[in-house]
Amino acid sequence: MKKIKYTVVVLLGILAINACDTKDLELTNPNELLPETYFTREVQLQASVNAVYSNLQTRGLYARHIFFALDNMSQENKGNPQLEGNKTPFLNFSFDASSDIIQFYWEACYLGIYKANFVLENEDKINAIPVENLSPERKNKFLGEARFLRAYYYFLLVTRFGDLPIYTKTGTTGNPRSPKADVYKLITEDFDFASKNLLSKSVEQKGRATKEAAYAYLGKALLYQKKYDEALAAFQNVTGFSLEQNFYNNFMDETEHGPESIFEIEYDQNLGVADKWGSDTAGTGVAEATLRGQEYGNLGWYNVYPSDDILDEYEPGDKRFGDTFYVPGSKYNNGANTMTTANFSSSAGLRRAGWKKYQNYYKRTNENEDSSINFKVMRYSDVLLMMAECESMRPGGVQSTAIGYINQVRDRADVPLLPLTLTKEQVFTALVHERKVELAGEQVRFDDIIRWGIASTELAGTGFQANKSELWPIPNRETSSNPNIKPSDNNPGY
């Protein structure tokens, strides 16, 4: 596995920004970066773009809080007694605007947007770099990365908060909330630009946004707006991918960036973890590890465990069950050890299972605070299922074609293929099931059931309140510091 060492870059004193400490994003030290000479060389541009990635690695996002919040809200998780108090409200929807998890999420995304805007507002200086030093194609490639990442951060925000302040320049603060439709317009424009200017996965460095990733997220953003024909057209440009023959290859360290992987959040503990506990939002330190393994591991902290609801969803013989969960009798540590009933105990009693996705037990006997396993936040199976949804839901859609996409995913799982004669309603039911089991523990289900309008049914008895719990509240720090967003302007119910 390729290991690259990264260096810290400070951008003009505006904000201390860490060069993206991500696996396989190769950096060269740009030495002194002074305001009058900045954006004159490719290495400076690359360092600035790399910095935009680093916010994804923070505790506010994929290092810790995002998987708890979304898996808890979707009820894929249940909490053991030791689960920390700031995470339990996401199980029963009792969180409010004082939540530090919501605050960190908000700030990590907006700081990432700030970094992207710093690159994009210097487009004229970037284009002024002599062609013999940097080709127009590479200039647009770096600009495409910045726009991809800005769109990604805005997508994370709009799905959680709805209407948002929009910032496209670094010098502006205190903007009022813009309608969700305007946020999606910016997201769509950015992903569209990225899709036309990024490099393909086959030639791009591992870990960077690619043309195919931009098309996949463009399609997802359009799907969330129910623009099915446009979304399907975007998804059809996601070519050159295939499903991993072994489903579990998607969740191991050694098999990252495989044939199914479209976009990953990078981690590599060998590159340094010194700022792991201090990296809540800004991405300004070395924090090359996620806590996902230790937090979820049934031989680790075991803060959460798979709910009966998710365990019971799998069909008999579905191979994904054994690759998603550990149960008594499961082998681990390269097959040398066997999970016993005692390995699933908590102070509240025995649990049926523990999470296997993103756990390091496949190669060792314990978890620790540092995991190098990347998050595959966009997989080809997800795209296939979204294509099925678009085909089924669009006017004049052919249900048998939609079923064919679903069956590609089911075939790998070794479960019976669906008949091609299903009605549109039956296809929807099949999609709800398939996305639930294929993408369990991957932070997609809550958004699925919200956009499908079935959350009140699926989350009945959990504390979910229709017309409130679909969104998070704007955090207190924002409403107390932004004169254009008062506490009374918050989302309904907060």
Side-chain angles (χ1 to χ4, degrees):
M1 191 188 317
K2 185 178 179 184
K3 304 291 183 182
I4 304 294
K5 185 176 181 180
Y6 304 93
T7 55
V8 173
V9 180
V10 178
L11 295 181
L12 310 183
I14 299 173
L15 182 67
I17 298 180
N18 204 34
C20 184
D21 293 311
T22 55
K23 193 184 317 177
D24 301 316
L25 298 186
E26 188 166 4
L27 267 183
T28 305
N29 190 346
N31 301 314
E32 293 184 7
L33 305 179
L34 302 176
E36 59 269 23
T37 61
Y38 205 70
F39 289 124
T40 60
R41 305 196 304 275
E42 178 175 2
V43 66
Q44 297 169 341
L45 175 56
Q46 179 170 292
S48 299
V49 171
N50 286 351
V52 189
Y53 287 88
S54 65
N55 284 63
L56 294 170
Q57 298 174 307
T58 60
R59 286 203 302 155
L61 295 177
Y62 290 94
R64 196 175 195 205
H65 294 316
I66 192 172
F67 47 82
F68 271 119
L70 292 175
D71 292 347
N72 287 4
M73 289 194 301
S74 68
Q75 305 301 302
E76 292 166 287
N77 278 342
K78 291 297 181 184
N80 276 317
Q82 65 269 26
L83 181 63
E84 292 175 301
N86 65 342
K87 299 173 180 65
T88 54
F90 293 88
L91 289 166
N92 58 22
F93 296 92
S94 62
F95 48 80
D96 59 29
S98 68
S99 168
D100 60 338
I101 289 177
I102 292 174
Q103 174 191 313
F104 293 156
Y105 185 106
W106 174 278
E107 293 179 359
C109 288
Y110 271 112
L111 285 168
I113 289 165
Y114 183 99
K115 295 177 186 182
N117 286 339
F118 176 77
V119 175
L120 295 170
E121 68 188 11
N122 283 283
E123 183 173 353
D124 288 345
K125 293 178 71 174
I126 293 165
N127 285 330
I129 299 173
V131 173
E132 59 268 24
N133 295 336
L134 185 63
S135 70
E137 291 75 21
R138 286 194 65 76
K139 294 174 184 177
N140 285 334
K141 181 277 254 228
F142 286 120
L143 292 169
E145 284 186 85
R147 291 189 70 168
F148 174 94
L149 291 165
R150 183 172 69 177
Y152 188 83
Y153 287 121
Y154 270 122
F155 187 77
L156 291 178
L157 287 165
V158 76
T159 51
R160 297 279 65 76
F161 299 98
D163 299 346
L164 293 170
I166 294 177
Y167 297 97
T168 57
K169 299 289 183 182
T170 58
T172 56
T173 60
N175 286 359
R177 298 173 75 182
S178 294
K180 180 171 68 173
D182 291 347
V183 182
Y184 270 115
K185 182 175 184 292
L186 177 61
I187 290 170
T188 301
E189 290 171 352
D190 277 354
F191 280 139
D192 182 63
F193 179 92
S195 71
K196 292 177 171 62
N197 290 281
L198 291 177
L199 303 180
S200 292
K201 180 183 177 182
S202 60
V203 296
E204 182 56 280
Q205 290 175 302
K206 293 178 180 178
R208 292 191 178 278
T210 65
K211 179 181 296 292
E212 295 85 3
Y215 274 122
Y217 275 102
L218 174 61
K220 186 172 184 177
L222 291 166
L223 172 60
Y224 274 44
Q225 299 170 79
K226 302 187 187 304
K227 297 179 179 180
Y228 300 115
D229 281 318
E230 295 175 63
L232 184 59
F235 288 135
Q236 287 171 340
N237 287 290
V238 183
T239 58
F241 294 84
S242 61
L243 298 179
E244 289 273 13
Q245 185 174 359
N246 176 6
F247 179 72
Y248 197 66
N249 281 352
N250 287 305
F251 312 105
M252 294 191 295
D253 196 10
E254 297 81 2
T255 49
E256 292 164 349
H257 302 291
E260 189 170 339
S261 174
I262 297 174
F263 187 57
E264 303 188 13
I265 309 301
E266 306 286 312
Y267 288 102
D268 186 349
Q269 66 191 83
N270 293 322
L271 301 178
V273 298
D275 197 46
K276 172 182 56 193
W277 289 105
S279 181
D280 289 323
T281 62
T284 55
V286 181
E288 279 290 339
T290 172
L291 288 150
R292 172 66 167 74
Q294 180 76 293
E295 299 277 12
Y296 278 32
N298 62 287
L299 305 180
W301 289 345
Y302 206 19
N303 287 327
V304 292
Y305 61 96
S307 66
D308 287 344
D309 177 68
I310 191 66
L311 294 172
D312 291 342
E313 185 71 22
Y314 288 78
E315 299 166 66
D318 190 329
K319 293 165 61 176
R320 291 169 293 193
F321 184 93
D323 286 334
T324 304
F325 311 108
Y326 285 116
V327 296
S330 295
K331 296 291 185 180
Y332 69 107
N333 188 27
N334 294 307
N337 297 78
T338 302
M339 296 278 183
T340 68
T341 300
N343 294 139
F344 301 92
S345 64
S346 76
S347 60
L350 293 175
R351 306 306 186 192
R352 288 173 59 187
W355 286 99
K356 184 176 180 181
K357 280 184 178 178
Y358 297 121
Q359 298 301 136
N360 291 280
Y361 299 137
Y362 70 90
K363 59 182 177 181
R364 64 194 195 201
T365 59
N366 66 296
E367 279 291 355
N368 57 45
E369 294 179 4
D370 303 327
S371 174
S372 291
I373 301 175
N374 291 353
F375 280 83
K376 284 188 174 67
V377 292
M378 181 64 76
R379 298 196 281 117
Y380 185 57
S381 65
D382 191 358
V383 169
L384 287 171
L385 294 176
M386 289 190 288
M387 290 177 69
E389 183 175 348
C390 291
E391 180 63 40
S392 178
M393 299 299 291
R394 71 186 184 93
V398 179
Q399 300 307 315
S400 60
T401 301
I403 295 164
Y405 293 132
I406 300 172
N407 278 342
Q408 288 185 56
V409 178
R410 290 180 62 82
D411 185 53
R412 175 177 61 181
D414 203 23
V415 289
L417 302 185
L418 301 174
L420 299 180
T421 55
L422 297 182
T423 65
K424 182 177 180 179
E425 291 73 21
Q426 290 170 325
V427 170
F428 176 72
T429 299
L431 270 169
V432 172
H433 164 79
E434 208 61 39
R435 289 185 65 80
K436 186 174 181 178
V437 295
E438 173 70 20
L439 302 167
E442 297 182 51
Q443 298 81 59
V444 298
R445 178 159 169 76
F446 184 75
D447 286 334
D448 279 349
I449 61 178
I450 292 297
R451 66 189 177 83
W452 289 331
I454 62 174
S456 293
T457 300
E458 295 294 310
L459 301 176
T462 66
F464 178 89
Q465 299 178 49
N467 303 314
K468 174 187 176 182
S469 303
E470 294 89 347
L471 297 174
W472 284 354
I474 305 297
N476 283 340
R477 185 178 291 181
E478 180 69 14
T479 58
S480 64
S481 63
N482 185 337
N484 289 305
I485 305 178
K486 303 178 179 65
S488 58
D489 298 325
N490 218 318
N491 284 324
Y494 299 106

